[in-house]
Amino acid sequence: MIEAIHANAGETTDSTEAMDPTGVAGPAGAAGRARVAPARPGGAGPHTADEVLRALDPVAVEDAVRKAAAAEIMPRFRQLAAHEVLEKNGPHDLVTVADRLAEEHLTEALTSLLPGSLVVGEEAVHADPAVLAALGGDAPVWIVDPVDGTRQFVHGDPGFATLVTLALRGELLASWTYAPALDLMAVARRGAGAELNGTPLRPAAPAAGAVLDVAISHYDFTTDEQKRVLAALETDGIAPRPCGSAGLEYLHVAQGRIDAVAFSWENAWDHAAGLLLVHETGGASGTVAGEPFRIAGGNALPFTAARDEDTARRILGLLAAAN
């Protein structure tokens, strides 16, 4: 049996209950809130989620994301020189000058829009892992992936995105998924749903008996053990395939173009925006331990996010049995 843990109270529920974006109750959670497990225990800090949301101008954030992409990313798309592409942790883990400059651009713009906020960006964490500690603090945090799908970007493939999420003590409040080369902007806000280019997103559940399309961790980024566990999805009624940009795969789930994702890594900048996006379109998710996904890390892996709770539970059951 897959169990889920209530993120706010620590009480368990059995597998007949619906899940929110962390594997907790209901597609919309209690009172429509996306409740991600807190990065650390503790009471209320100097900000509340409602206060942060009231102080937020989502249109200004969207404008900042677009400007960063226009200034730092798109002028370099299909124009990168060899010296502007470097390896971080191996030949498949790339970083470009566009990643670094776009993150710097966004860091300045986003903290100006919300004074007192901090930024946890992929490139900043690579340079100084201590930056991650902000996810466990009381200040609002912008979680930023300047170019999600850097390998695609380097190879001239338009399937990359800029991901920005606002969080407070582990709760996801708002997210922006922007694919500049595809002219797609998806925006999600806690309890208020999600839109793609201004049109509400609300996909239906998969048709009964339909083969489930599932994007999984790319084989180039998985260990032999992770490959073994993910291979549990190679079964009747499920069609797994390697993922591209994680952010765009989450968008595909929110659109109903695919049915689920299953990932074996937990970097907050890859998943925060998409988890809120899927949640706000009625989806569900959870880890193989039946626990909510924690953006600060320490999760039982793999985990899934799906367009409906039944799909999420089916995938989790297969993964948990193989884990």
Side-chain angles (χ1 to χ4, degrees):
M1 179 176 69
I2 300 169
E3 290 188 341
I5 307 297
H6 281 291
N8 63 336
E11 70 179 320
T12 59
T13 63
D14 66 29
S15 60
T16 62
E17 204 169 346
M19 295 186 294
D20 81 356
T22 61
V24 240
R33 294 189 177 189
R35 297 180 306 182
V36 175
R40 62 173 181 81
H47 305 277
T48 68
D50 288 340
E51 287 171 346
V52 172
L53 284 171
R54 283 196 297 270
L56 182 68
D57 181 348
V59 175
V61 178
E62 179 177 333
D63 186 56
V65 174
R66 290 183 182 276
K67 285 181 176 178
E72 309 296 354
I73 299 173
M74 290 310 293
R76 297 176 171 90
F77 182 47
R78 297 174 177 163
Q79 302 294 325
L80 287 167
H83 71 275
E84 294 178 319
V85 182
L86 299 173
E87 292 183 11
K88 290 197 289 188
N89 299 309
H92 303 298
D93 188 11
L94 304 177
V95 63
T96 74
V97 64
D99 295 73
R100 291 172 175 167
L101 292 177
E103 185 169 310
E104 291 173 6
H105 186 129
L106 285 165
T107 296
E108 180 177 356
L110 295 172
T111 53
S112 295
L113 289 173
L114 193 61
S117 62
L118 303 173
V119 173
V120 171
E122 177 177 5
E123 306 314 324
V125 172
H126 179 70
D128 179 8
V131 171
L132 271 174
L135 293 174
D138 285 324
V141 179
W142 299 99
I143 304 168
V144 174
D145 191 339
V147 182
D148 179 64
T150 299
R151 183 159 66 168
Q152 286 82 358
F153 178 70
V154 168
H155 289 102
D157 183 328
F160 60 90
T162 297
L163 309 178
V164 172
T165 309
L166 180 62
L168 180 66
R169 292 188 291 276
E171 183 177 4
L172 305 181
L173 304 183
S175 73
W176 294 259
T177 299
Y178 181 43
L182 300 172
D183 192 28
L184 298 175
M185 173 66 82
V187 180
R189 186 178 170 99
R190 187 201 68 176
E195 296 181 343
L196 177 62
N197 290 353
T199 300
L201 285 167
R202 191 71 181 186
V211 174
L212 300 177
D213 292 320
V214 183
I216 65 173
S217 298
H218 198 284
Y219 306 128
D220 288 341
F221 300 95
T222 51
T223 65
D224 289 344
E225 176 61 14
Q226 289 168 343
K227 289 182 177 69
R228 183 192 67 78
V229 174
L230 290 168
L233 300 182
E234 296 173 4
T235 188
D236 290 344
I238 300 180
R241 62 158 176 81
C243 73
S245 154
L248 291 185
E249 300 291 11
Y250 280 110
L251 175 57
H252 295 157
V253 175
Q255 291 175 286
R257 291 177 55 186
I258 65 174
D259 300 300
V261 295
F263 293 135
S264 54
W265 82 98
E266 58 180 357
N267 297 332
W269 46 86
D270 289 319
H271 304 302
L275 284 169
L276 184 63
L277 185 62
V278 169
H279 164 74
E280 290 297 333
T281 55
S285 72
T287 72
V288 289
E291 296 176 341
F293 184 88
R294 294 170 172 82
I295 62 170
N299 295 285
L301 299 171
F303 73 99
T304 190
R307 58 197 279 201
D308 73 311
E309 64 177 274
D310 288 341
T311 299
R313 292 190 185 282
R314 181 179 179 190
I315 291 171
L316 284 177
L318 290 167
L319 294 174
N323 210 39

